[in-house]
Structures are given as C-alpha cells and as structure tokens.
Amino acid sequence: MTSSLLDGHGLFQRRYFHEREYLRNLALADQRPSALFIGCSDSRVVPEYLTSAGFGELFVLRNIANFVPKLDHADASVGAAIDYALGALGVPDIIVCGHYGCGGVKAALDDLEPFRAKHPSLHEWLEGVAPAARRGRAASADPDPDAPWRRGVEENVIQALENLITYDVVREKLESGAVHLHAWIYDLYQTRIRVLDVETGGFVDASEIQRNG
Ligand SMILES: [Zn+2]
C-alpha cells in the first residue's frame, strides 16, 4: 500500500526536478505563507489542489470537520497553529474551509453516544462540533433530506469564525486590520468553492465574489 505512495514520491521528484533550486531556496529562507488554511482531514478536500497553491503558500491545519474550538478547549493543537501563523508568520488571512458531504458533521448531527466507549477521542471532538451542526439542522426548512446536513456544514464554519475571535491574537489583529477571516465551503458534488457573504449571511459561488471584486 505505502509502496505506491513512495512510487508517487519518485514521480514528484522527477516532476519537480527542474524546480529543485527554487525548492532549496524556499528551505533556506523563512516561510512566508499568505494564509492560514483550516480544513477538514477528509482525503477528498486537498487545500493546495483546490486553490492551486504552491510550496510555501498555505499554512495548513486539518482536523476532523475543520473544527475550531474556543480558546478554553482542552486540545491546544488548533490554538498552537493560530498562535504560530499569526504571531510568528504574520499571515494576513485565515480561511476556514468546510465541505458538503462532511462525515464529521454528519456524525455530529446524529447520536454520538455509540462513539463514547469505542472511540472516546472522536466522541469528545465531535461533541464540540455538535451544537453548530444541530443548529443548522434546526434552521433548515428545505425538504431535501440532505439539506440539514448542508446547513450543519455551513453553521459549523460560521461557528469556527466566531470561535476564532476567542483567541487574543486573532482579536488583536482583527482590530488593527492585520488579519481577515473567511468562511468557505467546498462543494464536493459541484466541485466548487462557496464563500460566506457577510452582508447576507449566505454562501455564494466563489466566482461571484471574484466578479464583484
Ligand atoms: Zn469533513
């Protein structure tokens, strides 16, 4: 199984042979990514592929259901990435990118009790996702059976933006205009990114945001 991944690495080395000098220079200089990208661990949602970002462009944090806990959460890994990306690297943008078809959000919409004994870490993590996911379900009036799931995904990224503000470094940089927050959703089925329009609270196709400047 892993041999095919190592074969893939051989392909990478051949493909990027001509960029070897560029990659070495990247290694010698300090990294200067343009954004902190917080996404889901889902294997179908690959930030660099979706954005055509190259080496050194994105500082990426991925976890189940792209969850951003509040500052006082027991798990410090998200906070550590935020501290480093903003405090040390000075990234000007934070993107939280959820995705339709998210299994983590789907599980959080359902009864989490069966996870408690068998997968206690997963249970604890999804307990954090559950309030926003369930709020989405409650708000969904669409008769489509998948609509509550989609709304749950949307509420989860909106909640993530709100939780980001519990971190001092985010709040300070927001106040000084040094950082901007963005909520995106990758639509796995339409293969398009949708972006939160803060004016309306709805999600619109990324191409519309680009058109409107
Ligand atoms: Zn997911």
Side-chain angles (χ1 to χ4, degrees), residues 40-42 64-66 99 101-105:
C40 184
S41 299
D42 191 303
I64 290 185
N66 44 271
H99 67 101
C102 183
V105 170

Side-chain angles (χ1 to χ4, degrees), residues 60-71:
V60 175
L61 173 77
R62 293 172 74 181
N63 63 36
I64 290 185
N66 44 271
F67 177 51
V68 176
K70 289 183 179 163
L71 176 63

Side-chain angles (χ1 to χ4, degrees), residues 40-85:
C40 184
S41 299
D42 191 303
S43 57
R44 300 163 296 182
V45 185
V46 185
E48 289 82 356
Y49 279 3
L50 294 178
T51 59
S52 299
F55 295 91
E57 286 187 46
L58 293 178
F59 191 77
V60 175
L61 173 77
R62 293 172 74 181
N63 63 36
I64 290 185
N66 44 271
F67 177 51
V68 176
K70 289 183 179 163
L71 176 63
D72 59 4
H73 191 272
D75 183 287
S77 67
V78 176
I82 292 167
D83 280 349
Y84 190 68

Side-chain angles (χ1 to χ4, degrees), residues 40 42 44-45 98-107 146 149-154 185-189:
C40 184
D42 191 303
R44 300 163 296 182
V45 185
H99 67 101
Y100 294 144
C102 183
V105 170
K106 180 92 162 64
D146 282 341
W149 188 7
R150 286 198 297 272
R151 278 299 298 267
V153 166
E154 293 167 2
I185 289 174
Y186 174 56
D187 187 331
L188 279 180
Y189 312 99

